[in-house]
Each structure stands twice: as structure tokens, then as C-alpha cells.
Amino acid sequence: GENEYVEFKASLRHDYRQVKTDKHIEHEVLKSIAGFLNGKGGLLILGVSKAGEVLGLNRDYWTLKKDNKEGFQQRLMLLISNVFGEDMSSRIHISFYLLGAKEVCLVLIEPAPRPVYLKEGNNTNFYLRTGNVIHQHNTSETVEYLQSIKTI
């Protein structure tokens, strides 16, 4: 199950409820990645529901121009480098595994050497994974957290 170091996401961009592509889901994945980068790192597993059901990546593949794991990896790395900077790409390690007949993506995320932020509209937000939850921190909480890790 999910814990401080492991999170499940059903998809990178396919909405299983509305049965369509939804780029908002990509944004939710980026929040999780930011939380792990700003925290102790961790493992994001794409293609597995919150309940632990293996859904696979086929529906994500269908949404991509290059509809396979290579296209999926390229899309994910493009999102990461565009949002967090190319230097963060070296902190992300992607691999694919078959669970039964379904392929899932494991995203191993190392802690970042600097804070990363996620732009949302006119705001730039700081996310941190604490326990099994990604928390959005306001400015004062972010400053306090960053000062506390500098003194450690």
C-alpha cells in the first residue's frame, strides 16, 4: 500500500471516471513528484489505483502520439524538465514492469538538492510528502521548513 515512500496513481493522463484524456491528471502526478523531490524521495507507481488495483498503462498509451512505453517515458520526462528544470531530470528514474498482462511504470524519485515549485495559475506552490500525503505549504510554512532542513 501507500506510505511515506510509495504512492499509486491510476494514470498519467487518462481519466478513468470520465473515460477521456485529462491534462489535469498530469498536474496531479507533478504534485506528487514535487512532494517526493522536496521530501525524502520515494516511488510513484503509475498504472495502479489508490486501492492497489493494477490498471496498466494502455489507456495512457492511446493518448500519446507515440503510443508505447517510450512515448510515455518521453512525455513524463518532458513534463518534469519543463516544470521543475532539466537538472531535476537526473533525479528521476523510470522503469516499466509487467504485472500479469498489464504494464506499470515505476518512477523512482531522489530528493532534490534544492526546493522545487509547481506553478499553478498565478501562484507558485511548494509541495512536500509527509507520511502518505502530499501537502501544499503556504509561503511561511515553506520558509520555515526550508530553514529547518538547513539547520539539520
Side-chain angles (χ1 to χ4, degrees):
E2 292 186 323
N3 59 45
E4 185 175 3
Y5 298 100
V6 178
E7 182 172 353
F8 300 146
K9 290 282 185 196
S11 171
L12 175 62
R13 52 190 288 152
H14 177 77
D15 186 331
Y16 278 90
R17 290 183 189 161
Q18 297 181 24
V19 192
K20 67 175 192 170
T21 301
D22 184 352
K23 290 194 177 188
H24 177 72
I25 294 172
E26 289 180 336
H27 188 75
E28 292 300 312
V29 168
L30 290 169
K31 282 183 188 179
S32 295
I33 292 170
F36 282 125
L37 283 167
N38 285 324
K40 299 175 184 173
L43 184 64
L44 178 62
I45 304 174
L46 299 167
V48 177
S49 74
K50 291 282 183 201
E53 178 188 0
V54 179
L55 302 171
L57 300 173
N58 282 342
R59 297 206 178 177
D60 272 327
Y61 291 167
W62 294 336
T63 70
L64 301 166
K65 289 178 185 170
K66 194 173 195 177
D67 61 349
N68 56 29
K69 66 182 171 186
E70 185 180 347
F72 184 94
Q73 183 169 352
Q74 287 172 350
R75 176 69 186 165
L76 182 55
M77 292 308 289
L78 179 67
L79 287 169
I80 291 164
S81 64
N82 285 347
V83 172
F84 303 126
E86 286 189 28
D87 62 319
M88 287 301 114
S89 296
S90 66
R91 300 276 174 190
I92 309 294
H93 310 280
I94 297 175
S95 55
F96 295 86
Y97 295 92
L98 280 175
L99 296 178
K102 296 179 181 177
E103 196 162 35
V104 298
C105 177
L106 274 63
V107 184
L108 178 63
I109 304 154
E110 297 177 25
R114 63 169 176 80
V116 297
Y117 302 91
L118 188 57
K119 187 153 179 60
E120 298 173 300
N122 293 327
N123 299 322
T124 303
N125 296 314
F126 181 84
Y127 290 92
L128 180 65
R129 180 126 182 131
T130 322
N132 65 346
V133 180
I134 301 289
H135 291 283
Q136 179 180 340
H137 288 251
N138 63 35
T139 304
S140 62
E141 291 169 332
T142 302
V143 169
E144 188 177 306
Y145 171 75
L146 294 174
Q147 287 176 339
S148 75
I149 61 173
K150 280 185 177 180
T151 60
I152 295 176

